[in-house]
Amino acid sequence: MAFDKDAIIASLKEASITDLNDLVKGIEDEFGVSAAAPVAAAGAAGGDAAAKDSFDVELTESGDAKVKAIKAVREITGLGLKDAKGLVDNVPSVIKEGVSEDEANDIKEKLEAVGGVVTLK
């Protein structure tokens, strides 16, 4: 029996979703494979290759001018004095999560201008 790829493709085009689901389950059972594994691996590889679109801004060192750093953190986050002081005193601490690259770089510049050391994750 010759393998007729075109005939198989034509049959698949005419099949219902239920029939295709049954086919996938049958292939998984017959050959001991999982259709989900290759899809997940491809998605993970694609995610690493794609440019990162959200960043976490982490203050790793507050610098010598803690008061200026606290003021900058308050301005950036909108937190109260006590909460902003807590972030600056307990470094490393995440200042903002899930921000765009432009916003993350802006925050980094503001904190570095007052002597802080910032890491983008």
Side-chain angles (χ1 to χ4, degrees), residues 16-35:
S16 69
I17 297 296
T18 306
D19 292 337
L20 293 174
N21 188 39
D22 291 342
L23 174 65
V24 169
K25 287 180 183 178
I27 290 172
E28 287 176 339
D29 292 342
E30 180 69 26
F31 297 105
V33 296
S34 174

Side-chain angles (χ1 to χ4, degrees):
M1 178 174 164
F3 182 77
D4 188 0
K5 176 182 70 164
D6 294 330
I8 293 172
I9 291 172
S11 296
L12 291 175
K13 286 182 180 179
E14 296 174 6
S16 69
I17 297 296
T18 306
D19 292 337
L20 293 174
N21 188 39
D22 291 342
L23 174 65
V24 169
K25 287 180 183 178
I27 290 172
E28 287 176 339
D29 292 342
E30 180 69 26
F31 297 105
V33 296
S34 174
V39 173
D48 292 341
K52 193 170 181 181
D53 61 350
S54 70
F55 294 86
D56 294 343
V57 180
E58 180 180 64
L59 182 65
T60 54
E61 292 180 35
S62 58
D64 293 333
K66 274 192 175 182
V67 173
K68 290 181 181 180
I70 292 169
K71 286 181 180 180
V73 169
R74 287 187 69 199
E75 177 188 326
I76 292 164
T77 61
L79 293 173
L81 180 62
K82 182 178 179 182
D83 294 330
K85 184 179 183 309
L87 288 175
V88 172
D89 286 343
N90 298 313
V91 292
S93 54
V94 176
I95 302 301
K96 226 166 183 188
E97 296 179 327
V99 296
S100 68
E101 183 177 7
D102 291 338
E103 185 178 357
N105 286 326
D106 186 46
I107 293 169
K108 181 178 179 181
E109 287 176 18
K110 287 179 182 177
L111 291 171
E112 287 178 344
V114 296
V117 177
V118 178
T119 305
L120 301 180
K121 293 184 175 184

